[in-house]
Amino acid sequence: MSSQAFNYSPLDSNLREIRVLSLLPGSFEEPLRVSVGIRSLNSGPIYNALSYVWGDPATARNPGNTISIDGSDFPVTANLLAALRSLRPLVSAADPIALWVDAVCINQADLDERGQQVSMMRDIYASAEQVIIWLGEEDDETSLVFDTLSVLATQSHRQGDEQDKELLDATRLCSGFFSGLADRRPWLSRVWIIQELAMAKGDPLVVCGRKSITWSTLMKASKYVFRKVFTEIGMVRRKPRSNNNQSTPGNSKGEDGSASEEEDEDVEVLGMLKIDVLDDLYKAMKSQGGESLRKLLMISRTSEATDPRDKIYGLLGLLKPNASDPQSSSSPIVVDYHKPTAAVYADAVAHIFAQGDGPYFLSGMFLPGISAPAPYIPSLPPTTPQPPLPSWVPDISRQVGGKATQPAGYIFHPPAAISASGPGADCNNGRRLEDERTLQVEGLFVDTIEEVVFLGTSLEEYIDQLPHIESLAEIARQRPCLLEPSVRSHMERFRKGEPLWKALISNKRFNSGYDPAPASYEAMYTSLLNGLPEGEDWKSKPSYDQNEYIKRLSLNAGKQSFFIATSGFVGTCVPDSRKGDVIAILFGSPAPFVLRPGSETVQVDGRERPTHFLIGASYVSGIMAGEMIDELYCEDLMDSTTFFIR
């Protein structure tokens, strides 16, 4: 093999050109040989697109991990090498396979080309004859599983198959495969695969070593398996059925012999794996043409990217058409690999605000705090500044509990049908200023924090604090309100309108984000206040495991502080909150925010305006159903405040 490095020929972006590999035939052990041709998407080229994980970059430095591109060496990772070996046509095949592979077909060293090709990714995968998903090399388990999946995909749930031992064994085997898929197969952890799967125009082919199966067959088998599994543990419920949608035992199969969708839709499975989420998005793209960036970021929060900027860029092809078009969209996101991470993430949040989802989006995120470092990009030149994240820009690469440095805002959300923004819950509020680091947003001032009590890192510490904070809350609610006389009586009524036991759990039932806390929780809370005899603990009580209120509190241990505000409001907030912080309802958010006055000002319309930092979400007892917005703001008893957040 030649030691000469491969040189890329330039692409014409006006012609929407891409490079396509021709994977030449050969035996499995032979060195891999490919040729590269340039094709225009405008001319409808025929090729397949590979969806895979690049894998450990260090393996690309191993001497044997190279392919020959038109006689020149090209280093690839072990995972890509294995994929190409498995996909390569045999020596006896007449034709090579046309394949688009991002790591090879894009000149990764050319940032301008990389940005231009990434912006075409939606079209590249949508134009492919077939998307080929590479899960990795096979092992003994996957070999058996892939032989079994097509059988399970044709099964009905009404055939008395509980007595079929062979079928039960196959179901158990595949249950283990699907349950461990996200952990054992890195393909599911990669952010780019979301777009690559969703844009496939035909049924993608899933390949594992030398075994393969279509995506639709994989998902039919998965649904069969997990309906069985979740039925056994009671995580299913029957959907109501109309009189004109009755099925009979005689029509339990579809035309292709598979279980009919009509039959399976009468039961809802109350659990989802990541593969189910991907399949839902795949189907939604076919029916709706795109999704909002807010929802896509929720779907992809556990997905990884080698380049942290791709946590945004890897989703742009899935945006609703008007949101992804720079010409028709307000605050469009343009792929630019010259930008540091903080600027890319700020572009994304600015776009979400322009789409009307901003305050709601931020209220549920892990926020970064003040001057948090953004993920560093080593490939940027030293002359390119890499500033910290503004406090209103979440670190999109750290939106899971194990990585985040702050608690998530959603723990302070009231039940789903309720919002502190009241009639303003759906308003379009907020914009990024021209300095690209300041957020302007309207809100309603609530109160100023006077005291913060951290509730401990363990459930035991939390429970020990309850009598103390109950006493503080009672005292706070009796103090005189310091706000304007016109709103004083309202505020005094609001702050007494909700007991502390509800506020501590954001008025939500255990294991539900929708149902308000039942009245029975009050007795559970009272028993905690009364305490236990010395030497006993709650875990030793027989009722401990059945006490839903204790379970609900345990979810928040280490993530909450209790606060008292100057006008008598009480509630919970993120632990980083402190005396002097301001509580405000930013219109559109279901939960109030804690803001910290900053020392800098920003010039807007010729005036110097004070700035704030965004600390995190909060739960304020008595106003979480929109009482302040409805009775004070909408009745012109209180004016809104314009906040400038940095």
Side-chain angles (χ1 to χ4, degrees):
M1 195 175 279
S2 168
S3 61
Q4 181 180 353
F6 175 71
N7 290 317
Y8 285 95
S9 299
L11 298 174
D12 189 333
S13 59
N14 294 323
L15 297 177
R16 300 171 69 230
E17 286 184 340
I18 63 171
R19 299 182 186 90
V20 176
L21 305 182
S22 291
L23 186 54
L24 302 175
S27 66
F28 189 82
E29 296 78 13
E30 280 186 68
L32 284 158
R33 297 179 300 114
V34 301
S35 62
V36 174
I38 294 177
R39 305 285 184 269
S40 167
L41 289 182
N42 297 337
S43 62
I46 297 174
Y47 62 94
N48 301 298
L50 184 64
S51 177
Y52 72 108
V53 176
W54 176 239
D56 182 0
T59 63
R61 296 193 290 270
N62 293 347
N65 289 350
T66 57
I67 61 175
S68 174
I69 304 180
D70 296 324
S72 298
D73 288 353
F74 192 95
V76 295
T77 59
N79 190 52
L80 179 54
L81 190 72
L84 296 177
R85 282 196 187 283
S86 292
L87 296 175
R88 172 171 54 184
L90 298 174
V91 178
S92 57
D95 299 312
I97 292 178
L99 199 61
W100 189 87
V101 182
D102 62 350
V104 183
C105 295
I106 299 174
N107 184 355
Q108 302 292 330
D110 185 335
L111 296 185
D112 292 326
E113 179 186 301
R114 185 177 164 197
Q116 184 268 332
Q117 289 282 290
V118 164
S119 66
M120 290 170 54
M121 204 76 86
R122 176 186 179 119
D123 294 336
I124 291 172
Y125 278 88
S127 300
E129 191 75 9
Q130 187 171 50
V131 171
I132 300 174
I133 295 168
W134 171 252
L135 289 184
E137 296 189 81
E138 65 187 281
D139 53 34
D140 292 342
E141 181 198 41
T142 56
S143 181
L144 287 171
V145 166
F146 269 65
D147 290 339
T148 306
L149 290 173
S150 57
V151 176
L152 294 183
T154 64
Q155 297 302 308
S156 162
H157 292 279
R158 296 183 179 177
Q159 294 178 323
D161 53 21
E162 294 81 1
Q163 308 304 317
D164 188 331
K165 184 180 183 305
E166 188 175 333
L167 191 56
L168 285 173
D169 289 343
T171 302
R172 291 191 187 100
L173 171 69
C174 292
S175 170
F177 167 76
F178 284 117
S179 298
L181 196 55
D183 294 328
R184 298 176 191 170
R185 298 291 169 174
W187 178 80
L188 275 91
S189 69
R190 179 174 171 263
V191 72
W192 282 107
I193 64 99
I194 301 172
Q195 177 177 245
E196 294 162 3
L197 168 67
M199 294 315 304
K201 66 181 179 183
D203 197 356
L205 184 68
V206 182
V207 181
C208 187
R210 301 189 192 189
K211 302 281 186 177
S212 64
I213 196 169
T214 63
W215 177 264
S216 61
T217 302
L218 181 77
M219 291 311 304
K220 285 176 182 176
S222 172
K223 292 183 188 306
Y224 173 82
V225 167
F226 279 102
R227 177 163 162 177
K228 289 289 185 190
V229 171
F230 285 124
T231 298
E232 289 179 5
I233 60 177
M235 288 187 64
V236 296
R237 67 183 175 194
R238 189 165 295 279
K239 295 180 181 178
R241 304 187 68 187
S242 60
N243 290 332
N244 61 354
N245 189 29
Q246 300 296 323
S247 65
T248 63
N251 68 354
S252 63
K253 294 275 187 173
E255 291 182 6
D256 61 353
S258 64
S260 69
E261 290 187 13
E262 177 182 315
E263 170 202 327
D264 287 344
E265 286 176 356
D266 64 344
V267 169
E268 180 182 8
V269 175
L270 304 178
M272 293 185 79
L273 302 178
K274 187 166 185 178
I275 194 172
D276 298 307
V277 176
L278 292 174
D279 192 54
D280 285 351
L281 182 59
Y282 171 61
K283 291 174 180 175
M285 290 299 295
K286 301 291 179 285
S287 60
Q288 302 171 23
E291 265 298 353
S292 68
L293 183 57
R294 178 185 69 83
K295 185 169 183 179
L296 290 169
L297 286 172
M298 292 298 100
I299 291 171
S300 65
R301 64 187 181 278
T302 61
S303 298
E304 302 286 349
T306 304
D307 186 325
R309 296 168 295 183
D310 286 340
K311 289 283 287 183
I312 301 301
Y313 293 157
L315 301 173
L316 297 186
L318 298 172
L319 294 180
K320 293 176 181 177
N322 63 333
S324 59
D325 183 359
Q327 304 302 320
S328 62
S329 170
S330 55
S331 292
I333 302 172
V334 178
V335 178
D336 183 355
Y337 284 103
H338 296 282
K339 283 187 172 184
T341 308
V344 175
Y345 288 179
D347 286 347
V349 179
H351 171 88
I352 291 171
F353 268 88
Q355 297 297 310
D357 293 332
Y360 184 91
F361 171 73
L362 289 184
S363 73
M365 301 295 282
F366 293 92
L367 294 175
I370 300 173
S371 299
Y376 185 72
I377 307 297
S379 59
L380 286 178
T383 54
T384 300
Q386 299 201 44
L389 294 161
S391 66
W392 53 273
V393 177
D395 185 343
I396 306 299
S397 70
R398 299 169 71 95
Q399 289 303 307
V400 291
K403 295 183 177 181
T405 57
Q406 308 281 341
Y410 63 76
I411 69 172
F412 301 97
H413 282 194
I418 302 171
S419 173
S421 290
D426 297 323
C427 74
N428 188 334
N429 176 31
R431 69 182 182 95
R432 180 175 61 168
L433 300 186
E434 290 183 1
D435 66 3
E436 298 191 342
R437 290 189 65 82
T438 306
L439 179 72
Q440 177 182 328
V441 62
E442 290 293 307
L444 200 66
F445 169 82
V446 176
D447 213 339
T448 302
I449 292 178
E450 185 175 279
E451 184 177 354
V452 177
V453 178
F454 180 54
L455 295 175
T457 57
S458 68
L459 178 61
E460 289 73 19
E461 290 178 314
Y462 198 128
I463 292 175
D464 287 345
Q465 295 265 33
L466 293 182
H468 175 54
I469 63 173
E470 180 68 41
S471 174
L472 291 176
E474 186 60 31
I475 295 170
R477 287 165 172 160
Q478 302 305 319
R479 66 173 53 174
C481 178
L482 303 179
L483 299 176
E484 295 295 323
S486 60
V487 302
R488 200 169 291 163
S489 62
H490 293 274
M491 299 294 259
E492 289 175 347
R493 175 167 49 86
F494 295 156
R495 71 189 189 186
K496 296 178 182 178
E498 185 177 23
L500 182 60
W501 69 264
K502 286 188 177 182
L504 293 177
I505 59 171
S506 302
N507 192 25
K508 286 183 289 199
R509 184 171 203 143
F510 177 65
N511 271 351
S512 173
Y514 298 90
D515 301 322
S520 60
Y521 281 12
E522 183 174 10
M524 300 178 189
Y525 174 74
T526 302
S527 70
L528 294 176
L529 279 182
N530 293 336
L532 290 171
E534 190 172 345
E536 290 188 30
D537 63 61
W538 289 103
K539 289 185 177 179
S540 66
K541 287 182 70 68
S543 60
Y544 174 82
D545 289 336
Q546 287 75 46
N547 192 318
E548 286 192 358
Y549 191 80
I550 290 181
K551 291 179 180 178
R552 192 70 185 79
L553 284 181
S554 69
L555 296 176
N556 298 335
K559 304 172 185 175
Q560 275 182 333
S561 287
F562 169 78
F563 73 83
I564 300 168
T566 55
S567 292
F569 280 107
V570 300
T572 60
C573 57
V574 293
D576 272 6
S577 306
R578 68 188 188 196
K579 182 178 180 179
D581 288 347
V582 171
I583 301 169
I585 300 169
L586 304 184
F587 301 142
S589 170
F593 284 99
V594 176
L595 306 176
R596 182 165 300 159
S599 59
E600 297 179 343
T601 60
V602 59
Q603 190 169 71
V604 180
D605 298 329
R607 295 171 54 200
E608 294 295 325
R609 306 295 297 271
T611 60
H612 288 80
F613 296 107
L614 190 61
I615 304 303
S618 67
Y619 188 99
V620 183
S621 185
I623 64 166
M624 298 303 290
E627 291 89 346
M628 283 189 66
I629 308 297
D630 196 21
E631 298 184 39
L632 301 181
Y633 177 73
C634 292
E635 297 298 326
D636 294 328
L637 295 178
M638 283 188 79
D639 292 328
S640 66
T641 299
T642 303
F643 294 98
F644 297 91
I645 302 174
R646 283 191 157 173

